mmCIF file of all heavy atoms in Angstrom:
data_model
loop_
_atom_site.group_PDB
_atom_site.id
_atom_site.type_symbol
_atom_site.label_atom_id
_atom_site.label_comp_id
_atom_site.label_asym_id
_atom_site.label_seq_id
_atom_site.Cartn_x
_atom_site.Cartn_y
_atom_site.Cartn_z
ATOM 1 N N GLU A 110 7.080 -14.738 14.686
ATOM 2 C CA GLU A 110 6.822 -13.587 13.802
ATOM 3 C C GLU A 110 8.017 -12.672 13.702
ATOM 4 O O GLU A 110 8.226 -11.992 12.727
ATOM 5 C CB GLU A 110 5.599 -12.824 14.234
ATOM 6 C CG GLU A 110 4.288 -13.564 14.018
ATOM 7 C CD GLU A 110 3.031 -12.797 14.452
ATOM 8 O OE1 GLU A 110 3.201 -11.863 15.265
ATOM 9 O OE2 GLU A 110 1.953 -13.113 13.983
ATOM 10 N N ARG A 111 8.799 -12.625 14.747
ATOM 11 C CA ARG A 111 9.974 -11.699 14.779
ATOM 12 C C ARG A 111 11.172 -12.335 14.138
ATOM 13 O O ARG A 111 12.193 -11.711 13.905
ATOM 14 C CB ARG A 111 10.338 -11.330 16.220
ATOM 15 C CG ARG A 111 9.448 -10.233 16.835
ATOM 16 C CD ARG A 111 10.052 -9.647 18.096
ATOM 17 N NE ARG A 111 10.015 -10.631 19.181
ATOM 18 C CZ ARG A 111 9.030 -10.696 20.131
ATOM 19 N NH1 ARG A 111 8.045 -9.824 20.118
ATOM 20 N NH2 ARG A 111 9.090 -11.601 21.029
ATOM 21 N N ASN A 112 11.120 -13.679 13.888
ATOM 22 C CA ASN A 112 12.231 -14.393 13.284
ATOM 23 C C ASN A 112 12.522 -13.855 11.898
ATOM 24 O O ASN A 112 11.632 -13.884 11.056
ATOM 25 C CB ASN A 112 11.992 -15.864 13.313
ATOM 26 C CG ASN A 112 13.167 -16.676 12.800
ATOM 27 O OD1 ASN A 112 13.336 -16.783 11.602
ATOM 28 N ND2 ASN A 112 13.919 -17.334 13.671
ATOM 29 N N LYS A 113 13.774 -13.494 11.635
ATOM 30 C CA LYS A 113 14.123 -12.884 10.316
ATOM 31 C C LYS A 113 13.966 -13.883 9.178
ATOM 32 O O LYS A 113 13.522 -13.484 8.085
ATOM 33 C CB LYS A 113 15.613 -12.438 10.378
ATOM 34 C CG LYS A 113 15.796 -11.149 11.135
ATOM 35 C CD LYS A 113 15.312 -9.924 10.292
ATOM 36 C CE LYS A 113 15.368 -8.669 11.080
ATOM 37 N NZ LYS A 113 14.123 -7.991 11.272
ATOM 38 N N LEU A 114 14.305 -15.107 9.391
ATOM 39 C CA LEU A 114 14.144 -16.093 8.261
ATOM 40 C C LEU A 114 12.668 -16.282 7.944
ATOM 41 O O LEU A 114 12.278 -16.328 6.771
ATOM 42 C CB LEU A 114 14.803 -17.378 8.676
ATOM 43 C CG LEU A 114 14.811 -18.500 7.616
ATOM 44 C CD1 LEU A 114 15.609 -18.015 6.351
ATOM 45 C CD2 LEU A 114 15.395 -19.751 8.137
ATOM 46 N N PHE A 115 11.848 -16.381 8.961
ATOM 47 C CA PHE A 115 10.399 -16.510 8.769
ATOM 48 C C PHE A 115 9.830 -15.310 7.967
ATOM 49 O O PHE A 115 9.187 -15.471 6.947
ATOM 50 C CB PHE A 115 9.727 -16.552 10.149
ATOM 51 C CG PHE A 115 8.229 -16.515 10.184
ATOM 52 C CD1 PHE A 115 7.486 -17.656 9.945
ATOM 53 C CD2 PHE A 115 7.550 -15.283 10.450
ATOM 54 C CE1 PHE A 115 6.070 -17.563 9.953
ATOM 55 C CE2 PHE A 115 6.198 -15.269 10.445
ATOM 56 C CZ PHE A 115 5.415 -16.427 10.184
ATOM 57 N N GLN A 116 10.256 -14.091 8.389
ATOM 58 C CA GLN A 116 9.789 -12.903 7.679
ATOM 59 C C GLN A 116 10.254 -12.861 6.251
ATOM 60 O O GLN A 116 9.505 -12.518 5.330
ATOM 61 C CB GLN A 116 10.290 -11.635 8.415
ATOM 62 C CG GLN A 116 9.746 -11.431 9.780
ATOM 63 C CD GLN A 116 10.275 -10.156 10.444
ATOM 64 O OE1 GLN A 116 11.157 -9.479 9.897
ATOM 65 N NE2 GLN A 116 9.861 -9.886 11.669
ATOM 66 N N GLU A 117 11.553 -13.198 6.055
ATOM 67 C CA GLU A 117 12.078 -13.004 4.669
ATOM 68 C C GLU A 117 11.568 -14.083 3.731
ATOM 69 O O GLU A 117 11.416 -13.816 2.528
ATOM 70 C CB GLU A 117 13.625 -13.088 4.768
ATOM 71 C CG GLU A 117 14.228 -11.870 5.424
ATOM 72 C CD GLU A 117 13.915 -10.561 4.723
ATOM 73 O OE1 GLU A 117 13.764 -10.561 3.472
ATOM 74 O OE2 GLU A 117 13.818 -9.503 5.444
ATOM 75 N N LEU A 118 11.277 -15.287 4.220
ATOM 76 C CA LEU A 118 10.707 -16.300 3.329
ATOM 77 C C LEU A 118 9.351 -15.862 2.858
ATOM 78 O O LEU A 118 9.002 -16.021 1.657
ATOM 79 C CB LEU A 118 10.633 -17.667 4.076
ATOM 80 C CG LEU A 118 11.936 -18.408 4.219
ATOM 81 C CD1 LEU A 118 11.742 -19.577 5.145
ATOM 82 C CD2 LEU A 118 12.420 -18.910 2.831
ATOM 83 N N ILE A 119 8.542 -15.289 3.781
ATOM 84 C CA ILE A 119 7.201 -14.864 3.340
ATOM 85 C C ILE A 119 7.301 -13.706 2.349
ATOM 86 O O ILE A 119 6.594 -13.677 1.335
ATOM 87 C CB ILE A 119 6.379 -14.453 4.600
ATOM 88 C CG1 ILE A 119 6.107 -15.683 5.437
ATOM 89 C CG2 ILE A 119 5.048 -13.779 4.172
ATOM 90 C CD1 ILE A 119 5.442 -15.347 6.787
ATOM 91 N N LYS A 120 8.216 -12.716 2.570
ATOM 92 C CA LYS A 120 8.365 -11.645 1.605
ATOM 93 C C LYS A 120 8.853 -12.202 0.258
ATOM 94 O O LYS A 120 8.337 -11.751 -0.799
ATOM 95 C CB LYS A 120 9.447 -10.649 2.139
ATOM 96 C CG LYS A 120 8.842 -9.661 3.163
ATOM 97 C CD LYS A 120 9.949 -8.958 3.872
ATOM 98 C CE LYS A 120 10.736 -7.980 2.992
ATOM 99 N NZ LYS A 120 11.763 -7.191 3.763
ATOM 100 N N ALA A 121 9.713 -13.160 0.271
ATOM 101 C CA ALA A 121 10.214 -13.729 -1.027
ATOM 102 C C ALA A 121 9.112 -14.369 -1.794
ATOM 103 O O ALA A 121 8.933 -14.301 -2.982
ATOM 104 C CB ALA A 121 11.354 -14.711 -0.723
ATOM 105 N N ASP A 122 8.189 -15.098 -1.006
ATOM 106 C CA ASP A 122 7.098 -15.857 -1.644
ATOM 107 C C ASP A 122 6.128 -14.883 -2.319
ATOM 108 O O ASP A 122 5.727 -15.067 -3.470
ATOM 109 C CB ASP A 122 6.325 -16.629 -0.569
ATOM 110 C CG ASP A 122 7.159 -17.745 0.017
ATOM 111 O OD1 ASP A 122 8.226 -18.034 -0.511
ATOM 112 O OD2 ASP A 122 6.790 -18.262 1.062
ATOM 113 N N ILE A 123 5.813 -13.809 -1.638
ATOM 114 C CA ILE A 123 4.842 -12.825 -2.181
ATOM 115 C C ILE A 123 5.481 -12.086 -3.412
ATOM 116 O O ILE A 123 4.865 -11.978 -4.422
ATOM 117 C CB ILE A 123 4.435 -11.760 -1.114
ATOM 118 C CG1 ILE A 123 3.709 -12.456 0.034
ATOM 119 C CG2 ILE A 123 3.488 -10.740 -1.740
ATOM 120 C CD1 ILE A 123 3.453 -11.560 1.242
ATOM 121 N N ALA A 124 6.754 -11.731 -3.234
ATOM 122 C CA ALA A 124 7.440 -11.070 -4.360
ATOM 123 C C ALA A 124 7.527 -11.956 -5.595
ATOM 124 O O ALA A 124 7.449 -11.504 -6.700
ATOM 125 C CB ALA A 124 8.850 -10.593 -3.952
ATOM 126 N N ALA A 125 7.650 -13.267 -5.352
ATOM 127 C CA ALA A 125 7.798 -14.184 -6.505
ATOM 128 C C ALA A 125 6.548 -14.249 -7.389
ATOM 129 O O ALA A 125 6.594 -14.513 -8.566
ATOM 130 C CB ALA A 125 8.180 -15.586 -6.000
ATOM 131 N N VAL A 126 5.380 -14.077 -6.802
ATOM 132 C CA VAL A 126 4.156 -14.115 -7.575
ATOM 133 C C VAL A 126 3.652 -12.741 -8.008
ATOM 134 O O VAL A 126 2.931 -12.645 -8.934
ATOM 135 C CB VAL A 126 3.008 -14.893 -6.873
ATOM 136 C CG1 VAL A 126 3.359 -16.356 -6.799
ATOM 137 C CG2 VAL A 126 2.659 -14.320 -5.559
ATOM 138 N N CYS A 127 4.079 -11.698 -7.314
ATOM 139 C CA CYS A 127 3.910 -10.304 -7.755
ATOM 140 C C CYS A 127 2.569 -10.078 -8.422
ATOM 141 O O CYS A 127 2.441 -9.929 -9.600
ATOM 142 C CB CYS A 127 5.006 -10.049 -8.844
ATOM 143 S SG CYS A 127 5.139 -8.354 -9.326
ATOM 144 N N LEU A 128 1.565 -10.049 -7.576
ATOM 145 C CA LEU A 128 0.169 -10.048 -8.076
ATOM 146 C C LEU A 128 -0.251 -8.600 -8.300
ATOM 147 O O LEU A 128 -0.244 -7.792 -7.424
ATOM 148 C CB LEU A 128 -0.757 -10.677 -6.988
ATOM 149 C CG LEU A 128 -0.405 -12.142 -6.764
ATOM 150 C CD1 LEU A 128 -0.945 -12.601 -5.458
ATOM 151 C CD2 LEU A 128 -0.970 -12.972 -7.885
ATOM 152 N N SER A 129 -0.692 -8.306 -9.554
ATOM 153 C CA SER A 129 -1.099 -6.949 -9.851
ATOM 154 C C SER A 129 -2.454 -7.019 -10.605
ATOM 155 O O SER A 129 -2.884 -8.020 -11.117
ATOM 156 C CB SER A 129 -0.053 -6.284 -10.747
ATOM 157 O OG SER A 129 0.187 -7.064 -11.892
ATOM 158 N N ASP A 130 -3.174 -5.849 -10.540
ATOM 159 C CA ASP A 130 -4.427 -5.781 -11.161
ATOM 160 C C ASP A 130 -4.267 -5.417 -12.623
ATOM 161 O O ASP A 130 -3.108 -5.299 -13.139
ATOM 162 C CB ASP A 130 -5.378 -4.801 -10.468
ATOM 163 C CG ASP A 130 -4.822 -3.373 -10.455
ATOM 164 O OD1 ASP A 130 -4.051 -3.017 -11.342
ATOM 165 O OD2 ASP A 130 -5.273 -2.599 -9.592
ATOM 166 N N SER A 131 -5.337 -5.185 -13.363
ATOM 167 C CA SER A 131 -5.218 -4.950 -14.804
ATOM 168 C C SER A 131 -4.576 -3.593 -15.134
ATOM 169 O O SER A 131 -4.181 -3.367 -16.265
ATOM 170 C CB SER A 131 -6.587 -5.030 -15.511
ATOM 171 O OG SER A 131 -7.491 -4.188 -14.793
ATOM 172 N N ASN A 132 -4.437 -2.742 -14.155
ATOM 173 C CA ASN A 132 -3.695 -1.507 -14.313
ATOM 174 C C ASN A 132 -2.229 -1.567 -13.950
ATOM 175 O O ASN A 132 -1.517 -0.600 -13.955
ATOM 176 C CB ASN A 132 -4.378 -0.337 -13.552
ATOM 177 C CG ASN A 132 -5.804 -0.099 -13.974
ATOM 178 O OD1 ASN A 132 -6.049 -0.068 -15.203
ATOM 179 N ND2 ASN A 132 -6.736 0.023 -13.089
ATOM 180 N N GLY A 133 -1.840 -2.783 -13.534
ATOM 181 C CA GLY A 133 -0.414 -2.945 -13.152
ATOM 182 C C GLY A 133 -0.147 -2.578 -11.731
ATOM 183 O O GLY A 133 1.043 -2.542 -11.343
ATOM 184 N N HIS A 134 -1.183 -2.276 -10.942
ATOM 185 C CA HIS A 134 -0.927 -1.966 -9.525
ATOM 186 C C HIS A 134 -0.828 -3.217 -8.695
ATOM 187 O O HIS A 134 -1.661 -4.072 -8.817
ATOM 188 C CB HIS A 134 -2.091 -1.072 -8.993
ATOM 189 C CG HIS A 134 -2.273 0.180 -9.710
ATOM 190 N ND1 HIS A 134 -3.491 0.629 -10.152
ATOM 191 C CD2 HIS A 134 -1.350 1.106 -10.104
ATOM 192 C CE1 HIS A 134 -3.327 1.818 -10.797
ATOM 193 N NE2 HIS A 134 -2.051 2.107 -10.774
ATOM 194 N N LEU A 135 0.221 -3.255 -7.880
ATOM 195 C CA LEU A 135 0.369 -4.392 -6.956
ATOM 196 C C LEU A 135 -0.817 -4.425 -5.963
ATOM 197 O O LEU A 135 -1.309 -3.396 -5.524
ATOM 198 C CB LEU A 135 1.668 -4.295 -6.170
ATOM 199 C CG LEU A 135 2.912 -4.580 -6.997
ATOM 200 C CD1 LEU A 135 4.176 -4.266 -6.181
ATOM 201 C CD2 LEU A 135 2.965 -6.054 -7.435
ATOM 202 N N LEU A 136 -1.249 -5.637 -5.681
ATOM 203 C CA LEU A 136 -2.462 -5.786 -4.806
ATOM 204 C C LEU A 136 -2.013 -6.160 -3.399
ATOM 205 O O LEU A 136 -1.035 -6.831 -3.174
ATOM 206 C CB LEU A 136 -3.296 -6.887 -5.370
ATOM 207 C CG LEU A 136 -4.005 -6.608 -6.704
ATOM 208 C CD1 LEU A 136 -4.467 -7.865 -7.367
ATOM 209 C CD2 LEU A 136 -5.141 -5.583 -6.527
ATOM 210 N N PRO A 137 -2.837 -5.776 -2.441
ATOM 211 C CA PRO A 137 -2.684 -6.341 -1.060
ATOM 212 C C PRO A 137 -2.903 -7.860 -1.200
ATOM 213 O O PRO A 137 -3.645 -8.322 -2.090
ATOM 214 C CB PRO A 137 -3.782 -5.692 -0.227
ATOM 215 C CG PRO A 137 -4.227 -4.524 -1.041
ATOM 216 C CD PRO A 137 -3.954 -4.823 -2.514
ATOM 217 N N VAL A 138 -2.349 -8.589 -0.334
ATOM 218 C CA VAL A 138 -2.556 -10.063 -0.363
ATOM 219 C C VAL A 138 -3.012 -10.639 0.966
ATOM 220 O O VAL A 138 -2.632 -10.085 2.032
ATOM 221 C CB VAL A 138 -1.271 -10.788 -0.791
ATOM 222 C CG1 VAL A 138 -1.004 -10.561 -2.294
ATOM 223 C CG2 VAL A 138 -0.051 -10.367 -0.012
#
Side-chain angles (χ1 to χ4, degrees):
E110 290 180 338
R111 282 194 291 265
N112 182 281
K113 284 283 175 240
L114 184 61
F115 172 82
Q116 292 178 1
E117 292 298 330
L118 283 170
I119 293 173
K120 279 168 66 177
D122 296 346
I123 298 171
V126 292
C127 190
L128 298 160
S129 56
D130 64 22
S131 53
N132 297 315
H134 299 134
L135 287 170
L136 293 163
V138 288

